[in-house]
Each structure stands twice: as C-alpha cells, then as structure tokens.
Amino acid sequence: MTAVTDRTNMTHPASPADVVRRQYLASAAGDLEALRATLAPDVEWTEMAGFPLAGTYRTPAGVTTHVMERLAAEWDDWVVHDDTYVAEGENVVVLARYTAVNKATGKEMRVRVAHHFTVRGGLIVRFEQFVDTAKVLEAMRP
C-alpha cells in the first residue's frame, strides 16, 4: 500500500489522498462520525449498478445510513483493503479489495475493486465504485 501521511495536525492542508485515507480509516474503525467529517455536505456517493446497494446517495448522513450501516447489518468483518493510491489533482483512484462474510449465507467474499474519489476543499465531493458485482452476489446466494 502506498503510504499516505495524515496531515490533520499540521499547518498544511491535507492532500486529497490524505482525506481519502482518513475516510478508509474511519470506516475500518466503524467511526461513522469521523467518516461523515470527510464528506462534503452535497457529496454524491455512487455504488455500482448490480451491487446490492446500487444507487447514488447524497449527504454524509445519507451515505452512512444507506451504505455503511447496511453493510454492517448484512456482512460480518466487512473490510476494504486500500492497496494502491493513484492521485492527480483532486482525483484519487484507489485499487482495493473487499473481504467479508455474508451474515445470511455464511459465505466468504473476496473481490477486487476500484474507487474513484473527487476531493475539493479538503472534503470528498464525489465517489464512484467499480466492482465485480457477480462475486458479491454469489456470496449472498444460499
């Protein structure tokens, strides 16, 4: 994984990659308040068509309620392994993996994903997910 330094306590503003990394850390810790703090008030968060949570969610509360809380309710040990960051300007692409166990079926899921973030003014304004939805759905089928 590419190291991303957290600069929140420095006089320099956080880079877009720093903001994205804070979002992943907050998510991994289950700290929805800290996660919401990385999102712009008018954030557009898009889960890919075919993914169980497909759609575009707006507002930090909308994202955490309709995505993060539902993932926690439906999956055990949901982890996003943020392996590689590619940043250019306000755009950050993260090559990652999801691992989890579906609560209803007990089946394990491991799938590669790519996330595209747009960060402006130190906040995530847009997110788009790219994932092999068939592998996710396979873990959900009895």
Side-chain angles (χ1 to χ4, degrees), residues 11-137:
T11 57
H12 302 294
S15 73
D18 293 337
V19 174
V20 170
R21 179 70 176 141
R22 280 200 316 269
Q23 177 272 151
Y24 283 120
L25 291 170
S27 179
D31 187 345
L32 298 184
E33 184 177 329
L35 191 149
R36 286 189 292 269
T38 66
L39 304 177
D42 59 347
V43 65
E44 290 185 7
W45 188 279
T46 302
E47 299 286 323
M48 187 169 168
F51 189 70
L53 306 177
T56 298
Y57 304 95
R58 291 174 174 80
T59 78
V63 171
T64 55
T65 298
H66 298 292
V67 179
M68 305 335 176
E69 290 178 13
R70 284 189 54 201
L71 289 173
E74 297 172 13
W75 298 87
D76 283 323
D77 304 318
W78 181 276
V79 178
V80 180
H81 307 269
D82 52 330
D83 297 325
T84 304
Y85 286 66
V86 180
E88 183 173 325
E90 64 185 15
N91 293 291
V92 180
V93 173
V94 180
L95 304 178
R97 296 169 285 128
Y98 294 156
T99 59
V101 176
N102 185 267
K103 289 182 179 183
T105 66
K107 291 182 180 178
E108 187 175 343
M109 182 260 312
R110 294 176 179 270
V111 64
R112 293 288 294 160
V113 299
H115 293 160
H116 174 221
F117 294 87
T118 304
V119 179
R120 286 190 197 117
L123 296 171
I124 296 166
V125 296
R126 192 167 296 115
F127 165 87
E128 188 174 6
Q129 170 202 59
F130 301 89
V131 60
D132 183 347
T133 58
K135 287 190 177 268
V136 177
L137 296 173

